[in-house]
Amino acid sequence: QLQLVESGGGLVQAGGSLRLSCAASGSTFNINAMGWYRQAPGEPRDLVATITRGGSTSYADAVKGRFTISRDNAKNTVYLQMNSLKPEDTAVYYCNAEQWGLRRADYWGQGTQVTVSS
């Protein structure tokens, strides 16, 4: 199966930047879209950004213009550059990968905490 490991989270002041990385390992064939989601306490997990294998991106309105998703297919890694961070960006950020084989499957990382102080 596919394993996803996020890194790069931490504590940052409002207005600062962080870069999250998510490395896929294991059975990495047929990875299609990848994305980042986030979940604040007591709230549902929300989509932040997605990127197709070909590089087409989509962003939640709340992060447009501030976050940039990218990927390196050769390294099976997806990144999330987060600039101009706001306290409301505080959440656990999860990496997601869509894999197509005999069936479609979604895989999730363990999550990395991002805390933005005011």
Side-chain angles (χ1 to χ4, degrees):
Q1 291 188 336
L2 190 67
Q3 293 87 45
L4 303 174
V5 179
E6 302 100 332
S7 62
L11 176 64
V12 66
Q13 291 183 318
S17 298
L18 285 173
R19 191 189 194 211
L20 306 183
S21 298
C22 173
S25 62
S27 183
T28 57
F29 293 106
N30 299 317
I31 297 174
N32 295 305
M34 300 184 75
W36 290 94
Y37 294 71
R38 66 187 182 186
Q39 186 170 26
E43 299 183 9
R45 186 175 297 185
D46 292 332
L47 183 145
V48 176
T50 61
I51 184 167
T52 68
R53 187 166 183 85
S56 180
T57 60
S58 180
Y59 297 91
D61 288 342
V63 306
K64 284 182 179 177
R66 300 188 298 118
F67 291 9
T68 302
I69 189 170
S70 61
R71 67 190 289 173
D72 185 334
N73 291 333
K75 296 180 179 179
N76 294 311
T77 301
V78 63
Y79 307 93
L80 186 68
Q81 178 67 46
M82 305 185 295
N83 298 325
S84 301
L85 283 162
K86 304 175 181 179
E88 52 262 44
D89 295 319
T90 296
V92 177
Y93 283 71
Y94 296 92
C95 178
N96 169 266
E98 178 190 54
Q99 187 175 51
W100 287 92
L102 295 176
R103 65 176 182 88
R104 178 188 179 275
D106 274 304
Y107 294 89
W108 296 90
Q110 81 285 356
T112 185
Q113 177 70 48
V114 172
T115 302
V116 184
S117 62
S118 60

